[in-house]
Amino acid sequence: MDVKIHPSWKQQLQSEFEQAYFADLVAFIKTEREKYTLYPPGSLYFNAFEQCPFEQVKVVIIGQDPYHGAGQAHGLCFSVNDGVPFPPSLRNIFKEINDDLQLPMPASGNLTRWAQQGVLLLNAILTVRAGEAASHHGRGWERFTDAVIQCLATQKEHIVFLLWGKYAQEKGRIVDPKRHCVLMAGHPSPLSARQFFGCRHFSKTNAYLTAHGQSPIQW
């Protein structure tokens, strides 16, 4: 199957695109698009991979599924388009960055600037119906993104995996902490932010990258 994804990722994931589950997923998405509004737009399903090629990945942040409100999702977990008000989890992420690194609250919640520095902003599920959170759960995206994590975990070394909340931590279990840096904390949503605040993951990430000869992220 010819999937429009960055060439570096296509090379790594071609075997996934040729499997029956992925063909079923593509058929499901096609049917869904005929009936419902889906987010993000079709051209941005693989935006995380486009903005952060395989060879450039230094950090992985794992989310669940895209924002389901109009104009928010653009294919990067936790990120919103320019001009969109910060969702609560993203605001809490910026609060932790401010506390950790004394950086001011940014003007935009668009995290493309992170992705282009080597931060793979990976949702476990890459599409959603408008207004219906987790509506594409269990349709095949999770298997695909598990393969992405497995590929990174086995083909590269010294990646920082930021696993916020039980869902991300479960998905990241396949990562060898002896080969990579695995940092865990509560999810930054208001329901669990008490277990997120104070994690200092942003300074810890940069310390690890620097210690392994890589440039730090400008958060």
Side-chain angles (χ1 to χ4, degrees):
M1 180 175 293
D2 184 23
V3 176
K4 293 182 180 178
I5 194 171
H6 191 278
S8 66
W9 285 104
K10 194 167 192 174
Q11 181 180 359
Q12 296 292 330
L13 299 170
Q14 187 59 47
S15 62
E16 296 300 311
F17 301 141
E18 295 170 354
Q19 294 191 44
Y21 88 88
F22 199 86
D24 291 342
L25 172 61
V26 169
F28 168 73
I29 295 298
K30 182 178 180 181
T31 300
E32 287 282 286
R33 290 178 67 175
E34 293 170 354
K35 297 179 180 179
Y36 307 100
T37 297
L38 303 187
Y39 297 130
S43 62
L44 296 177
Y45 291 171
F46 297 110
N47 192 32
F49 304 91
E50 195 66 33
Q51 300 298 331
C52 186
F54 177 80
E55 62 273 6
Q56 294 180 19
V57 177
K58 299 190 290 189
V59 180
V60 178
I61 300 177
I62 299 175
Q64 286 188 247
D65 67 337
Y67 296 121
H68 55 269
Q72 292 180 305
H74 64 124
L76 308 177
C77 74
F78 294 107
S79 180
V80 291
N81 282 303
D82 292 325
V84 175
F86 301 162
S89 293
L90 182 58
R91 181 169 293 278
N92 285 339
I93 289 169
F94 289 148
K95 285 181 179 178
E96 176 61 21
I97 291 172
N98 172 257
D99 188 50
D100 187 12
L101 298 171
Q102 291 73 56
L103 295 174
M105 188 74 69
S108 172
N110 188 330
L111 302 182
T112 300
R113 60 186 183 273
W114 293 4
Q116 292 177 344
Q117 296 178 72
V119 182
L120 181 67
L121 296 161
L122 180 67
N123 273 320
I125 302 165
L126 301 188
T127 55
V128 69
R129 288 181 193 169
E132 296 185 46
S135 48
H136 288 179
H137 169 76
R139 293 293 184 166
W141 281 128
E142 295 96 334
R143 181 171 171 180
F144 172 71
T145 52
D146 280 348
V148 172
I149 296 168
Q150 178 74 35
C151 178
L152 289 167
T154 57
Q155 299 298 319
K156 295 174 73 74
E157 292 184 334
H158 307 313
I159 293 175
V160 181
F161 287 84
L162 301 182
L163 308 180
W164 300 333
K166 292 181 180 178
Y167 185 92
Q169 289 161 18
E170 183 67 24
K171 199 166 179 72
R173 285 180 63 186
I174 60 176
V175 179
D176 181 356
K178 295 179 181 178
R179 186 181 180 114
H180 303 281
C181 177
V182 179
L183 299 176
M184 295 187 286
H187 194 278
S189 77
L191 295 175
S192 54
R194 285 182 298 175
Q195 286 77 48
F196 174 74
F197 289 136
C199 68
R200 309 284 185 188
H201 280 184
F202 304 96
S203 60
K204 290 176 181 177
T205 292
N206 282 351
Y208 180 87
L209 293 175
T210 301
H212 290 87
Q214 300 185 77
S215 57
I217 304 300
Q218 300 300 313
W219 299 107

